Amino acid sequence: KREVLMDSKNSDYRPLHVFVEKPMTTDVHQAKTLRDHVMKRAQNKDECGSGCFLINHTANYRPQTRKARSMVEHGKIGTIRHINASMSSPLSWLFDNPQNRGWTEPTSDEMVGNGFCWGQSSHLLAWIYHVCPTLHPQKVFCAMNYSSVTNADVSHSATIVCSDLSSCNENNEISEGNNVIMSISGTSLLPGYEHSDPGVGKRISIAIYGTKGAILYSG
């Protein structure tokens, strides 16, 4: 963080290319601060040079993902009304082990817990908000259950109510009836192990429903 936010007028300054793993931070305020400074650098690149700040959401750049985003942007499925998404992974070995403190215990004052939802939901949410860039979350309702060994969350289910900026009226207002209801769930309880032979990988299922059609993405 110190290097990214370094004063551009300092003689030691040089543009940096930063590549971070997801989630980029568990502190919302820190995430916004980093974004604001990155955007400021981009706007003043003639003065201080430009650098890249990248987050490792590699699934967003797959051909099928680009196709899904293009379909949404060109109105192929109409106005989005509902999204149903789930992710399951064989990660009990990770979240049931007290030695994995970085995955099972809060690592900053901003965290009220840790576990599967904290570390893995970014896979689903980053893909959804990339494919549907006009959606903005407004309300979140969530329930979890926890490991009896580490107290890390191992399963969750959430309802996210989003506004869709593409559905604004002439006064730039969004009516309650045009909200997008998103249902998200995830668990680490999938049996198996990714590094066994044969390996068991994570399972992803995302369905985006619009007024003219639907996009189904899974694997």
Side-chain angles (χ1 to χ4, degrees):
K1 179 180 177 183
R2 177 181 175 277
E3 288 184 300
V4 173
L5 306 184
M6 187 184 293
D7 185 356
S8 62
K9 296 181 180 180
N10 188 307
S11 60
D12 294 331
Y13 173 82
R14 70 185 188 281
L16 292 176
H17 302 298
V18 180
F19 185 67
V20 299
E21 184 55 280
K22 55 189 174 296
M24 61 179 279
T25 174
T26 54
D27 183 325
V28 174
H29 301 294
Q30 186 183 77
K32 291 181 177 179
T33 299
L34 286 170
R35 179 192 179 279
D36 290 344
H37 279 274
V38 169
M39 297 305 295
K40 182 179 179 180
R41 291 279 185 255
Q43 294 166 1
N44 298 295
K45 61 182 179 180
D46 292 336
E47 173 189 345
C48 60
S50 61
C52 294
F53 187 87
L54 303 174
I55 304 173
N56 185 29
H57 294 299
T58 50
N60 290 4
Y61 302 97
R62 293 172 179 166
Q64 56 268 44
T65 304
R66 294 197 296 269
K67 178 65 174 179
R69 176 169 170 139
S70 177
M71 292 176 66
V72 170
E73 290 181 326
H74 289 86
K76 298 296 185 181
I77 65 170
T79 302
I80 298 172
R81 301 310 306 272
H82 178 62
I83 297 174
N84 185 34
S86 66
M87 174 180 177
S88 57
S89 298
L91 293 177
S92 293
W93 63 271
L94 180 64
F95 295 108
D96 282 340
N97 187 341
Q99 295 182 351
N100 298 323
R101 298 181 60 185
W103 293 92
T104 61
E105 298 179 6
T107 57
S108 75
D109 294 337
E110 294 291 325
M111 296 180 69
V112 295
N114 204 346
F116 184 86
C117 184
W118 288 86
Q120 302 298 307
S121 293
S122 57
H123 288 274
L124 279 181
L125 295 174
W127 194 94
I128 291 170
Y129 288 120
H130 175 72
V131 171
C132 309
T134 60
L135 299 189
H136 286 248
Q138 301 296 324
K139 302 176 184 178
V140 179
F141 309 90
C142 185
M144 299 178 177
N145 57 27
Y146 305 89
S147 165
S148 60
V149 180
T150 64
N151 206 38
D153 71 81
V154 294
S155 300
H156 66 272
S157 180
T159 297
I160 304 174
V161 181
C162 295
S163 59
D164 186 349
L165 298 185
S166 66
S167 300
C168 292
N169 60 25
E170 61 274 11
N171 297 320
N172 203 33
E173 298 172 335
I174 302 172
S175 66
E176 187 71 21
N178 285 330
N179 283 340
V180 179
I181 308 300
M182 191 186 309
S183 176
I184 301 289
S185 65
T187 184
S188 63
L189 301 176
L190 180 68
Y193 182 59
E194 184 176 6
H195 303 292
S196 62
D197 186 16
V200 177
K202 56 181 174 285
R203 300 290 188 268
I204 301 287
S205 177
I206 304 172
I208 304 172
Y209 298 96
T211 55
K212 296 181 181 178
I215 295 174
L216 306 180
Y217 179 94
S218 62

